Each structure stands twice: as C-alpha cells, then as structure tokens.
Amino acid sequence: MTERSAPPRRKRRWLVLFALTAALALVAGACTAGDGEAAGSYTDIINERGLTDEQVEAALKTYVPSGQWDEYVMFASGGHSGQVIAIGIPSMRILKNIAVFTPEPWQGWGYGNVEQMKVLEAGNVGDNQISWGDTHHPALSETNGDYDGQFLFINDKANARVAVIDLRDWETKQILKNPVSIVDHGGTMVTPNTEYVIEGGQYGNPLGWEYAPLEEYEAEYRGMVTFWKFDRDKGRIDESQSFALELPPYWQDLCDAGKNVSEGWVFCNSFNVELAKGKSVDGADFEAGVSAGENDYLHVINLRKAEELFKAGETIDVKGFPVIPLDKLIDAGVLYFIPEPKSPHGIDISPGGEYMVVSGKLDPHVTIYSFDKIQQAIADKNWVPDRYGVPVLDFDAVKEAQIEVGLGPLHTQFDDKGYAYTSIFLDSVVSRWSLGPPYKEGDEAWKLVGRIPIQYNVGHVAAAEGDTVSPDGNYLVSLNKWSIDRFLPPGPLLPQNLQLIDISKEPINPTVDVTGTDPNGMQLLYDMPMALGEPHYAQIIKADKLNPFEIYPEVGWDPATMQVDPEAPVPGNERVERDGNTVHVYMTAVRSRYTPDRVEVKKGDRVIWHITNIEQSLDATHGFALPGYNITLSLEPGETATFEFTANESGTFPFYCTEFCSALHLEMAGYFLVQP
Amino acid sequence: MAKMTLRDRVLGPRVPPEQRAAHAERYRRPMMLFGGAAFLLVVSIFLPYWILRLRAPQFPDGLVVRAYLNRLEGDVETLEGLNHYVGMPSFEYGAVLERSLSIIALVVLAGLLIAAFAFHNRWVVVFTLPALVFPLMFVADLQYWLWRYGHSLDPKAPLAGAVGEFTPPVFGPARIAQFETLALPGPGFVLALVASGLVAAGLWYHRKAYKPLLDQLYGKARS
C-alpha cells in the first residue's frame, strides 16, 4: 500500500459524513414528498366532496379497511321480518340476517330441511301454520350479568313465541309457543346467569287466550310473565322447568332482570292500569283510554319466591303449562306494584342493579327508583292494595330521582362512565344524563348532560354492552323508526335509520338545557338504512366474545343436535335405497359435484333425502335446489341435512347448487327423475 | 243659508257642478281611496290571512297552515292527526260562525265602501268604519280562538298534561310540545290592513273635501 492509494483519514471521514448527510436528506425528502402527496390527495377529496371537519372525523371513526374486522357486533331484532340482523360496529356493515320465525331461502331456512321444519312447526298456533314473526327484543346469554357470547334469545310479539339461537353457528335451534298468551312484548330478557329467559305479555287475554267478551275484561282477562328455564348444556329451553305468573290485565310492556344487588328480582312495567276496553265498551278508543290515567304500575317480582311456589306445585294448569295464580303471588309476597308516570315504555336496571329507570312516554322525565328503598317499603308494608289486591308501594318512599330529559322518553342504556342514555321520541334526541351514587356524587349526580338530535323518531337505543353489569361505553346506536329525508327515496316504504353515535367523550359542560339540542361531547357518526325489517331493540357485544364455528367441526355434522350424525352420508357410502314406496337418498356434495348425480323414483314415492357437504374449507358452502318441489338448502362445510317430500309430480327435475362454489359451479348439478 | 232637503240631510250636500269642475281631484280622492279599499278587501278573500309555520325534528321541511277567511289550507290533516295527542279541539269547531259569514261580510264591507261614495256628510263614517276596524277585529277574534284552543285541551289526550294550557300568540314564535311555531300575517291580512289605511286616508280627504262644503252651505254650526 502506497501513501497515494490510501486517501487521508480525514478526507475519508468527510466523505462518510457527506454520504450520510446526503442519504438522510434523500430519505427526509422522500418522506416529505410522500406526506405531501397523501395530504394533497385527501384534502382534495375533502374539498371536492365539501366535507366538514366533523364529517371527516366521523368517516375516520367508522371506516374499517378491507380485511379488518369490526370491534363490536350488534344483534338487532328485525321487527315483523321475524328475523335477527347482525351488524358490525363501527362500520355498520350487515354480517347476517339470521332466519328465525320466517322461512329464508338463502339460509335454506324452512324450505324442506326436516329439523328446521320441526323447529318452525313448534311455533304453530293450533292448526295454523305461522310463517312470520314480529321480533322485538334480542337477549344475549349472560354469565354473571355479562354477555358470554354463547346464545341469543328473541321473542315474537305477534304470536307470543320465544326462539333460541346458538351462537356457535348463528342458527335458530328452538321455537316455543307460549301456552298462556297469544301476544307478548316484554321478552326476551335473561337473568344474570341465563337461568331463565323472561317473556312478558302485552295485550291482556284470558289465560290460554280462550274466548271471553271484552265486557268481562276485568274479571276474565289477564296479563302474564313467563320464566323459561334455560338448559345451557343442551342449548335449549326446558319447558318442563318453566312456569308463568298470572298478572292483572294491565298490558305488561317490558321487563328487565335485576342484577348484582337486585339479582333474583324482575321488573316489568305496564301501561293499561286504566283497564281500557276500547270504544265498543268504554266509548273511548284504546289510544285515549289506555293513556288516560296519570300512573301505571311497575311490577316488582321476587323471582326466587316465584320459583319456590312453582317447585311447591302452587300452580294452575293452562294448556298444560303451570301458571302461578295471582292470589298465591300476593300471599307469598312475589308481586308488588309501584306507580310509574303515565304510559311507560322502558324499564332498565343500572349496571350495579341499584336503580330501576322508567320513562313514562307521556311524561318528560325519567323516574329512577332505588332497589334499597323498594326493599325498605316492602319491609315496612308501606303500601295500599290495588283493585286486584296487589300491594302498591308508596311512590315517594321508593323514588330516588326524577330528571327532565325531554318529550316522549322511552328506553335507557348505560355506559362505563356513570351516564345513562334515554331515547326521546317526540323531541327526536338521545338525552345523556348522569346517574347518582356510586356512579356520580354530589353536584354531578342526576344531571342532564347532553341532547344529541337524531333523525328521526328514536325507539330503543343500544349502547355497547349497555345493559350488562359492565357497560363499555364507546358506541351507541339510535334505532330510529323514521328516516324521512336521510336516504335516496326507494318509493313510499322507507328504510329505518340506525344511527351510530360516539359516546366515548365526557361532557364538555356540566349540564344542558332540556329544550335544546346540545350534544355536549356526543357525536353522530353514521346513518345506516335498515331495509330488512324494523329493529326494535338491539344488543351490542364485543366481537371477541363471539367464537363461532368457522366450519362445522366434523363432516356429517347435524346442526340440530350439534353432533355428528352417524347416519349422515359420507364419501363411499352414497346410495339410493328403496324400501317399499319410500326411497332413501344418501348424497354428498363437494366442489363441484353431487354423488349420486341421478336419482330416479316413481310418482307417489315418499323421498327421504340425506345430503352432506363434505367440504372442510372455510366458506365452501353448497346450496341444493330442487325445482318444482319448493326445496332449497344451504349446506355449510361439514353440514348434513335431511329433507322429505312425496314425489307427487312426475317429470324431469334438474337439481343444482345455488351457492356459487367454484369455477365449475354450473356443472354442479344432477337429475331427479320421477317416472309417471 | 240653503234649506236642507231630506236627501241632503241623509246623504249630505250635492257638490255644485262648477265646484266639482274646479276641484275634481278633491272630490274624487276619497272615492278612489274607498274604492281602492273595497277592491283590496275583495281581493283579500282569495288570499291567506294568517300563516302558521311549524317545525319539529320529525318534520325537517316543516309544516304550514294557511288560514283564509273561510277555510284552512296546507298540512291541515297532518296537524289534525298530530293534534289529538295534545287534545286541542278539531279545526272544524273553530270560528264556525266567522268562517261561514266571512265572505259575505267582506263583500258587504266592500259594498258599504262603495255605498259611502254617495255620502257627503258624517254618515260616511258608518259605512266605512267596519272596513277601518276590520283588521283589528280579525286579530282580536283570532286571539280569542287561539286562547280558546289552548285552554280547551281534552284532559284525556295523551300529552295534554305534559303540554299544559297555553295561549299561542297571534303573530310571532311559540313552542307547543316538540313543535316550534311561527305565526305570520298572510297577504290577505296585509291587504286588509292596507285597505284600512286607505279608508282612514279616505276619511281624512273626505272631511277635507266635504267639511268646507257643508260649512259653506249650512254654516259652521251644522257641520
């Protein structure tokens, strides 16, 4: 090495420094250029679309990029669609319209599958087949008062029925017709460990909805609340352990189960203490008659004592179902009433179970009762009997607070910060107010702290886990009945409007004006047109509590039993067997063929057709459609199903896969031939 | 001093032709003002007198009622439907007499104004006073009915208790349940108001025209 070939040390150091600086400058430049470009592009979009800062903020809060999942799932009833709709939050994307009371062809629900037909037929009323429902209040199963993500219950107001949905496969497993009442409303709610599913009645009817003239309303008509015993291991309601209470015909409305300190008690409100019987008897229509009085009665029910009466056999028989008669309820101290402001439409228990919140929809306040005070009034016998002899507790003795929240208050949910949220129908706002101790103390307690306008006519509200012992806060959905001008008009039947509201921020001001519309920290994020039905109530569960099957665990899985069906067709044993006039078909389905792909019978044969989707890949669902016989199935990976019919039409019927399954999906077909 | 004929006694003095020729404008002016007022009153029959605008959250475009002298137009049926919650009487029971007489009354008012052309003395006041005070009577009557409606709530109406008795103002903003209301004078009322002004002006010019004539013909004491 010569001196010349090696550059001086100092010079080399400079060179390194220069290179480093240049590199840094380049990197920095690139970064700046990158940022500048992005900023330019989205500010352009904001400007082009004329979005305000708040709208941009809302968009950013609700956007869930492709491939990412929502934080919460909302299960909303579908109203008179008879179904339950699952919606991701905050994106408000529909995940599934779960078929419950109404046959639904995409899920193959009720189009031949014998197990499903059995579930639906259990919901028939007498000889009448009922092929729709009016779902109102979904209830997620709970463990220690918190959603556990295992089951979902839903009622049908139109026919007083209750359904059980298994959240392993999001399918309906059981439908029960209430033997006592023909309509319900106050269901479903669950006790804190899902021991019971509560179904409260609504319009009074003679027990078992036997005939009685309206003139005999007071003597013959009755209300009810039914406690359906849930067998978690079986995933079914156990009818033999279930019972109902006979109640005065006061048109029971909604119920809620006590929790924590009030566990073991159940609260239901009512709205026809007036005993209105309609124009034909009263000369005034129900609308006026039912809302004439200043008070209705909150029903306070000691469920543990009711259970004791049931177990002691202190029941009467109504259509084979045990009902504890009213006089026994009174004697045993099961039932108490509390005056509540006129025509209430909500009863909601605070997370700790200390407070019962009622809104009289024709009174601008929420009325809050204290569980301790209720217990004290019962202990003090601080009551007067009502016309049926039920003790009516003294209002002032049990009232904790009344807060003016606006015109037409309905339902209340709770958050993690000590606030409650009440839907205000006439004012079309959601009012936020603070709870009392232990949630908020002193000056901060029982204050109206926000009123966010919604569009329009809110019914229920649902906050994230907002009716559990540990609400999450974060989000609230306002389930609005009218959308009026919010969406492109699809003809005269407009969608509902589900509005997502950010409730994560604390109020800015200590209180707001009850006639004003100061959201005071709440922010409207998103309008979702709901055109599948009219959701009434909804519950919002943290998505990670749900752990559904991705595919059925084994090939040949029967969703009715949640086990492998040993008789299920599997590869190698596909066949067609004839037994007299009965033909058994054992078929498998896999991309992209049915085996066998030809089934031939004689006209008049009874066909019992078993089919298994033997796929084990995520999303490899096959359909099975049999033209001319009103049969369509959805076979999810691993699922086996059976359908039965009489081949009463001779001819040639190509069957095919309805779920686009593969490149050769169109080839997935076969022939059902019926010889004349 | 001229002797008063019966006709002159009732209708006032005739204007001597030479005087009329000399001061045509002076005698025409009250007639034109009364005539104009009569015309405006007749036109006002076809225009709304009172406009009530209502806004509520669930009616983002608002609702409107336009009260003509004999009928209501606008979102009347919607409001009738909503009203049963509050329990005010139905619109059909309001101001029945006034509505049934109003058209004839207005025509009579206009006719009286035309008839007033013939009167050259103080009797003119009798024929013009109704038109002069008509807007005031309209407002008073409307206020009466508004008070009556706000104080006749059906106690059985679901929201009667929550809303409570109230008196909506004839003009200006108010609040009933979740509705913000704004009551405004309609163009018909404005015309009636202008007509009233024309009548007042007409009376002024009438006096200016005929007072000197009366004084001249019968002496100051008679006027």
Side-chain angles (χ1 to χ4, degrees):
Chain A
M1 239 196 217
T2 65
E3 234 180 44
R4 216 158 46 114
S5 62
R9 221 186 180 86
R10 218 171 51 181
K11 217 175 178 178
R12 199 161 26 175
R13 203 180 294 151
W14 275 110
L15 209 66
V16 170
L17 257 174
F18 174 77
L20 258 173
T21 313
L24 267 174
L26 265 172
V27 169
C31 286
T32 318
D35 279 354
E37 213 168 274
S41 68
Y42 65 67
T43 47
D44 284 351
I45 295 168
I46 291 165
N47 293 334
E48 267 169 36
R49 301 192 65 196
L51 300 175
T52 65
D53 286 354
E54 203 169 334
Q55 288 166 340
V56 172
E57 196 185 336
L60 293 176
K61 283 178 179 174
T62 53
Y63 178 65
V64 178
S66 180
Q68 294 185 25
W69 292 355
D70 279 298
E71 190 183 354
Y72 288 95
V73 176
M74 174 165 77
F75 291 97
S77 67
H80 40 298
S81 78
Q83 320 291 44
V84 170
I85 303 148
I87 299 159
I89 286 178
S91 75
M92 302 302 274
R93 298 181 295 201
I94 294 177
L95 300 169
K96 191 175 181 186
N97 181 26
I98 305 170
V100 186
F101 295 106
T102 307
E104 200 286 306
W106 172 64
Q107 290 155 83
W109 178 250
Y111 288 94
N113 182 320
V114 290
E115 293 300 334
Q116 296 174 357
M117 299 310 274
K118 275 187 221 160
V119 171
L120 285 165
E121 279 158 15
N124 287 347
V125 177
D127 293 334
N128 291 347
Q129 185 198 334
I130 308 291
S131 61
W132 72 289
D134 184 12
T135 57
H136 269 242
H137 310 105
L140 286 154
S141 58
E142 294 180 8
T143 300
N144 298 322
D146 227 338
Y147 301 151
D148 55 37
Q150 293 184 3
F151 295 94
L152 181 70
F153 308 93
I154 185 78
N155 71 315
D156 163 27
K157 168 173 168 165
N159 307 285
R161 300 183 295 174
V162 164
V164 180
I165 297 162
D166 192 324
L167 290 177
R168 281 175 291 178
D169 62 355
W170 293 32
E171 283 192 5
T172 305
K173 301 299 174 188
Q174 187 180 25
I175 291 176
L176 286 165
K177 170 73 199 88
N178 192 302
V180 183
S181 190
I182 187 64
V183 284
D184 71 21
H185 186 265
T188 52
M189 292 82 199
V190 296
T191 52
N193 283 297
T194 323
E195 301 92 339
Y196 287 100
V197 179
I198 302 164
E199 182 191 16
Q202 183 139 77
Y203 310 119
N205 55 235
L207 294 177
W209 69 96
E210 304 295 345
Y211 171 78
L214 273 164
E215 283 75 7
E216 292 164 22
Y217 189 86
E218 190 166 342
E220 296 298 325
Y221 283 55
R222 287 295 176 266
M224 70 91 188
V225 58
T226 300
F227 296 99
W228 295 106
K229 181 78 181 161
F230 185 61
D231 183 333
R232 197 186 282 264
D233 293 334
K234 293 203 174 97
R236 298 288 188 278
I237 284 168
D238 181 355
E239 266 188 283
S240 71
Q241 296 300 309
S242 305
F243 60 96
L245 312 187
E246 177 194 4
L247 299 173
Y250 289 162
W251 291 19
Q252 285 73 26
D253 185 44
L254 274 161
C255 301
D256 200 3
K259 46 198 166 200
N260 288 335
V261 294
S262 52
E263 186 167 352
W265 292 74
V266 170
F267 305 84
C268 303
N269 55 21
S270 63
F271 62 102
N272 188 14
V273 166
E274 295 86 346
L275 293 181
K277 302 162 199 66
K279 212 158 198 158
S280 68
V281 183
D282 296 339
D285 48 37
F286 280 108
E287 182 185 39
V290 168
S291 51
E294 282 308 309
N295 288 306
D296 289 288
Y297 290 145
L298 173 63
H299 296 32
V300 179
I301 296 162
N302 186 333
L303 176 56
R304 296 210 173 106
K305 278 196 178 169
E307 197 177 29
E308 283 168 22
L309 289 180
F310 163 63
K311 286 185 174 154
E314 303 281 345
T315 56
I316 54 169
D317 188 279
V318 176
K319 290 193 167 165
F321 194 76
V323 177
I324 308 175
L326 186 54
D327 55 349
K328 294 232 164 73
L329 299 177
I330 297 168
D331 292 346
V334 172
L335 181 65
Y336 302 91
F337 288 157
I338 298 173
E340 52 184 356
K342 72 193 289 189
S343 302
H345 197 43
I347 164 72
D348 299 284
I349 316 289
S350 62
E354 315 88 344
Y355 300 117
M356 287 76 227
V357 179
V358 168
S359 306
K361 56 184 179 272
L362 302 175
D363 176 280
H365 301 86
V366 284
T367 301
I368 299 109
Y369 304 95
S370 148
F371 182 72
D372 286 347
K373 289 181 181 175
I374 292 170
Q375 293 307 304
Q376 190 60 49
I378 291 171
D380 296 346
K381 296 191 180 349
N382 187 359
W383 65 57
V384 289
D386 92 321
R387 57 164 84 79
Y388 288 95
V390 181
V392 182
L393 304 181
D394 180 63
F395 176 80
D396 291 319
V398 297
K399 183 194 80 175
E400 180 71 28
Q402 278 190 304
I403 307 169
E404 192 175 357
V405 288
L407 276 179
L410 300 179
H411 307 284
T412 299
Q413 294 269 289
F414 304 93
D415 73 5
D416 56 332
K417 299 183 182 67
Y419 298 109
Y421 299 80
T422 301
S423 52
I424 313 288
F425 184 85
L426 294 178
D427 286 347
S428 274
V429 301
V430 173
S431 285
R432 170 152 77 167
W433 49 276
S434 54
L435 287 160
Y439 307 92
K440 297 279 175 188
E441 308 283 343
D443 267 3
E444 289 199 325
W446 311 124
K447 282 264 162 53
L448 180 68
V449 292
R451 276 169 53 91
I452 183 166
I454 54 80
Q455 288 75 33
Y456 303 89
N457 293 354
V458 54
H460 277 272
V461 284
E465 311 217 341
D467 63 357
T468 68
V469 294
S470 63
D472 281 12
N474 298 332
Y475 298 109
L476 178 126
V477 175
S478 176
L479 300 144
N480 305 327
K481 302 300 185 185
W482 288 22
S483 60
I484 305 184
D485 59 355
R486 291 295 105 168
F487 308 111
L488 276 173
L493 178 60
L494 302 190
Q496 325 296 314
N497 186 14
L498 308 192
Q499 286 184 306
L500 181 69
I501 295 168
D502 180 353
I503 57 166
S504 62
K505 293 204 181 79
E506 286 279 354
I508 301 154
N509 301 310
T511 186
V512 299
D513 180 7
V514 73
T515 58
T517 52
D518 179 4
N520 200 17
M522 293 182 280
Q523 187 191 2
L524 179 67
L525 297 181
Y526 194 80
D527 282 24
M528 177 204 192
M530 171 43 68
L532 296 174
E534 182 188 319
H536 292 273
Y537 184 45
Q539 287 184 331
I540 301 174
I541 181 175
K542 196 83 192 293
D544 59 19
K545 286 187 177 174
L546 295 165
N547 192 22
F549 293 151
E550 294 184 330
I551 56 168
Y552 282 113
E554 290 177 61
V555 170
W557 192 269
D558 178 1
T561 58
M562 283 297 201
Q563 287 171 10
V564 170
D565 175 2
E567 301 297 310
V570 288
N573 78 351
E574 299 99 336
R575 63 206 185 273
V576 178
E577 284 174 356
R578 176 173 284 278
D579 176 14
N581 287 333
T582 304
V583 176
H584 292 268
V585 180
Y586 294 87
M587 178 178 272
T588 59
V590 71
R591 277 164 289 175
S592 310
R593 60 188 179 276
Y594 296 109
T595 310
D597 59 8
R598 171 192 175 133
V599 175
E600 194 149 343
V601 302
K602 292 198 183 70
K603 186 177 176 184
D605 281 345
R606 184 73 188 159
V607 182
I608 303 173
W609 196 314
H610 313 273
I611 180 166
T612 305
N613 176 356
I614 59 169
E615 303 270 5
Q616 285 287 276
S617 307
L618 192 60
D619 209 359
T621 295
H622 292 294
F624 178 88
L626 183 57
Y629 281 94
N630 201 37
I631 284 164
T632 177
L633 308 177
S634 171
L635 301 158
E636 288 102 59
E639 178 174 355
T640 191
T642 299
F643 58 97
E644 269 188 52
F645 62 101
T646 301
N648 57 350
E649 291 284 334
S650 63
T652 302
F653 303 92
F655 54 82
Y656 69 97
C657 176
T658 44
E659 180 96 14
F660 205 112
C661 56
S662 67
L664 294 174
H665 162 71
L666 289 181
E667 287 75 359
M668 188 162 175
Y671 278 93
F672 176 58
L673 303 168
V674 184
Q675 299 166 12
Chain B
M1 198 79 61
K3 168 134 176 33
M4 260 198 279
T5 63
L6 180 64
R7 193 193 68 174
D8 287 356
R9 202 184 288 268
V10 175
L11 296 178
R14 298 304 89 193
V15 183
E18 66 281 8
Q19 198 154 335
R20 182 179 289 282
H23 304 288
E25 190 57 26
R26 182 193 294 173
Y27 298 105
R28 202 185 297 135
R29 198 174 279 145
M31 279 203 288
M32 289 188 62
L33 288 166
F34 292 154
F39 175 74
L40 293 182
L41 284 178
V42 171
V43 171
S44 80
I45 291 171
F46 303 99
L47 295 169
Y49 261 64
W50 188 65
I51 296 168
L52 182 65
R53 298 191 182 283
L54 300 100
R55 288 193 73 89
Q58 41 285 90
F59 296 95
D61 295 334
L63 294 172
V64 67
V65 174
R66 284 179 292 273
Y68 292 73
L69 286 174
N70 63 339
R71 66 189 191 280
L72 297 173
E73 283 189 1
D75 302 301
V76 178
E77 288 189 5
T78 306
L79 281 169
E80 286 274 24
L82 291 168
N83 172 42
H84 83 285
Y85 295 109
V86 178
M88 290 191 287
S90 164
F91 289 127
E92 64 179 292
Y93 299 116
V96 175
L97 181 70
E98 291 92 324
R99 279 187 287 140
S100 64
L101 294 179
S102 58
I103 303 297
I104 296 166
L106 263 264
V107 172
V108 169
L109 287 195
L112 288 175
L113 287 175
I114 303 300
F117 290 4
F119 290 85
H120 298 164
N121 57 10
R122 68 182 65 173
W123 287 107
V124 73
V125 173
V126 173
F127 287 81
T128 54
L129 191 68
L132 185 72
V133 300
F134 174 67
L136 192 68
M137 285 167 62
F138 175 83
V139 168
D141 190 58
L142 182 58
Q143 182 67 79
Y144 162 72
W145 279 106
L146 289 171
W147 173 86
R148 217 173 124 169
Y149 265 68
H151 288 76
S152 313
L153 303 188
D154 179 358
K156 285 187 181 152
L159 275 172
V163 170
E165 292 191 330
F166 62 99
T167 306
V170 171
F171 300 121
R175 193 180 170 89
I176 306 167
Q178 81 270 35
F179 281 87
E180 279 173 8
T181 64
L182 181 62
L184 298 165
F189 180 76
V190 172
L191 288 192
L193 210 57
V194 173
S196 177
L198 294 185
V199 169
L203 283 172
W204 167 261
Y205 284 114
H206 189 280
R207 186 179 161 85
K208 261 183 103 173
Y210 294 108
K211 180 82 171 26
L213 189 65
L214 278 164
D215 289 350
Q216 181 196 327
L217 289 177
Y218 309 117
K220 274 200 182 319
R222 287 285 319 152
S223 65

